[in-house]
Amino acid sequence: MPWRPYDELEEFPTLGYLVADWMTSFLLRPDTPDVQPFVPTQEQIDFLVDLYEIDPETCKRVKHRAVLSRPRGWGKSPFVAAIACVEGMGPVLCDGWDASGQPVGIPWSERRTPLVQVTATTDDQTANTWDPLLEMLRGSPAQDEYGVDAMDTFVSLRRGRIETRTSSATAIKGARAVAAIMDQTETWLPSNGGQKLAKTLRNNATKLGGVTIETPNAYTIGENSVAETTARFHEQVKLGRVKKEAARTILYDHRGAPLDTDISERKSLIHGLRVAYGDSSGDPHGCLIHDPPCSPGWVDVERTADDFWNPDSDPAEMCADFLNQISSASDAWLTQPEVRAIADDGKSIGTNEPITLGFDGSEGRKIGIADSTVLIGYSITQHHLFKIGIWSQPDGPKGEGWQPPRLEIEQTVDQWFKTHNIVGFYADPSAGWAGDVKAWEAKYSRRLKAKISTGEPIRWPQRNVSNTCEAFADLLAAIQQHQVTYDGDPQLTAHFLNARKVHRRAGYVLDKPADDKDYSKIDAAWGSMFAYKAGLDAVGKGAAKQARRRKPRRLY
């Protein structure tokens, strides 16, 4: 029998309600003096309904990857601990349809031996989820029903196990985990192996049709954390840049306070906290997101609001932790709202419109991670920046001894000069590209309107720090005043958000984050500045003016 919805409001089949009932029947509520069943809130049930969506055609689970982002104290850790338990024992797989046309749930153990992993980059992080998980199981109905032996370091099931892992990605490669809880992924950075660990966990889950679930707090933009890269992937999904088949496999559930929350005004702050905390907010009049009202939660938002005004509280840290507002580093060149505000992927570049180019080269590196080589374009009539090419070192063994594909890059530059109206080209020749820049100057200087100097029309003068500082300030002002747009390319976006201000006497230049010099890339921010500055100079030379048609001579 095919799926048949209960009513018109049911959009898809799901095992989420069965899962919620299983949690209440077999698990205990942690951190309570007396024995109580674990009862998910309505907000948590909504997440389960989406997480355990079933394809009505194939009877398979739809979601392969999930994110649950809430402020500190919302209850993420106990909730995902309950999910880890149900993945090990409960009805999480579809085994057809019942007489009412609803999915029938069975545990993983009826198909294979389940392994569930609670993962983080440190032991302290795994304890956030592991400690409540043990409380949920010890003395619970699940202990007898499923032969649970909840030990300090792992949980033995009648068939399968639940364990914690903080080891390196290579140590867990190939583990047949049906589910992985990835806690506090805002702290999973390239520098501590977090990105590699996340990739390995996802690959393991893919082999078995399993799931990974991230539980981050608000991340800091530009740190290149797992939470940030997942958020960028979700942005691409929202923009329609990911195939529908892949887009429907991710569940991204983030709730933060409204951006206009004023932490200096108590009423606005309390409202922002209630929105961010939802069912856990302890609202005496019922929560803000459900009707009928839910029962009061456990977070004292009045007390939390008071702590915002402690003299030693960091406002940015408090907004990230308790309002769940994604923040930028204090020295960030651009914030995410600023970048998002100028994204426009609907513009096309004509062959006749005046274009300027910006180039920043990299030589490659035998040891470590090389910088990227970038070629950025700028339409001076549409005021629009766009990626032409960003060549970066691949991850893993493929990247060992990597060098930028010099021939491909040279051909790309030549092709754009052949097919487009290039009126300016500024380039940084450092890292082994000085000879190429000289060749481009000899070949193309005559057609350029914008020139750095007569002798070196393309080569950017890095020693002229004041000129560089002024150019970055000009581009930042144009971005903040919405005088320019860009194509929304995710690589270009990442480079913008990674860039940090390094102050000089004349202003500032851009550099990588101090604690992540290897993995964070900012080269496209420099390339964009070169292209934009060339555009300004080209406009000053009349490149934006329409060419006048000469009247034909009259013959007598």
Side-chain angles (χ1 to χ4, degrees), residues 207-493:
K207 292 185 298 185
L208 302 179
V211 67
T212 59
I213 303 171
E214 295 182 41
T215 56
N217 297 108
Y219 59 85
T220 299
I221 294 172
E223 287 188 342
N224 202 25
S225 65
V226 169
E228 182 176 10
T229 54
T230 302
R232 288 177 187 164
F233 175 68
H234 177 62
E235 286 289 327
Q236 298 307 302
V237 170
K238 291 196 299 182
L239 292 171
R241 295 180 179 176
V242 177
K243 290 184 178 180
K244 292 181 180 180
E245 295 80 6
R248 68 192 295 247
T249 64
I250 183 171
L251 168 60
Y252 195 88
D253 190 338
H254 168 86
R255 176 174 292 121
L259 294 177
D260 60 357
T261 299
D262 184 357
I263 65 173
S264 66
E265 201 278 308
R266 187 175 182 81
K267 183 177 180 181
S268 176
L269 177 57
I270 292 290
H271 175 77
L273 288 167
R274 293 205 189 283
V275 171
Y277 279 97
D279 286 2
S280 64
S281 67
D283 186 352
H285 305 294
C287 66
L288 300 175
I289 59 176
H290 290 111
D291 186 21
C294 63
S295 59
W298 51 87
V299 176
D300 187 346
V301 295
E302 300 282 347
R303 160 65 189 272
T304 304
D306 292 341
D307 290 345
F308 266 77
W309 297 330
N310 286 340
D312 56 349
S313 293
D314 182 342
E317 186 175 328
M318 296 293 285
C319 287
D321 286 350
F322 300 105
L323 294 177
N324 208 31
Q325 290 180 327
I326 296 169
S327 61
S328 298
S330 59
D331 57 349
W333 182 51
L334 288 171
T335 67
Q336 191 175 60
E338 289 172 334
V339 174
R340 186 181 298 163
I342 64 166
D344 185 349
D345 62 352
K347 292 183 177 180
S348 58
I349 306 300
T351 56
N352 293 324
E353 63 183 294
I355 301 295
T356 55
L357 305 178
F359 176 84
D360 190 15
S362 168
E363 190 175 12
R365 190 178 301 172
K366 292 182 179 180
I367 300 176
I369 308 298
D371 291 338
S372 300
T373 295
V374 305
L375 183 64
I376 306 298
Y378 177 68
S379 167
I380 65 177
T381 52
Q382 298 188 65
H383 310 287
H384 184 66
L385 289 161
F386 56 94
K387 182 186 85 171
I388 297 175
I390 297 179
W391 295 270
S392 301
Q393 179 175 341
D395 294 332
K398 293 182 179 179
E400 294 181 4
W402 179 83
Q403 298 290 321
R406 189 175 294 270
L407 180 60
E408 177 187 339
I409 295 168
E410 291 171 347
Q411 289 176 341
T412 301
V413 172
D414 291 341
Q415 184 65 24
W416 271 80
F417 270 95
K418 289 178 182 177
T419 59
H420 290 76
N421 179 23
I422 307 300
V423 297
F425 183 19
Y426 290 172
D428 178 9
S430 59
W433 288 88
D436 298 88
V437 171
K438 280 295 182 183
W440 290 331
E441 287 177 334
K443 190 173 183 179
Y444 301 120
S445 62
R446 291 184 179 182
R447 61 182 292 184
L448 300 178
K449 292 281 188 179
K451 297 182 181 181
I452 293 175
S453 67
T454 303
E456 294 183 321
I458 295 177
R459 182 189 180 100
W460 183 262
Q462 286 285 12
R463 293 183 178 180
N464 190 342
V465 177
S466 61
N467 190 37
T468 301
C469 292
E470 181 181 356
F472 275 123
D474 288 342
L475 178 54
L476 178 62
I479 291 172
Q480 292 177 333
Q481 296 170 24
H482 299 177
Q483 295 176 351
V484 297
T485 58
Y486 87 112
D487 61 2
D489 178 82
Q491 283 184 292
L492 189 50
T493 301

Side-chain angles (χ1 to χ4, degrees), residues 59-61 93-96 104 106-114 159:
C59 200
K60 294 181 179 179
R61 285 170 58 169
L93 300 180
C94 180
D95 193 39
V104 176
I106 61 172
W108 276 105
S109 58
E110 292 196 19
R111 296 187 180 173
R112 59 170 49 91
T113 301
R159 186 181 183 190

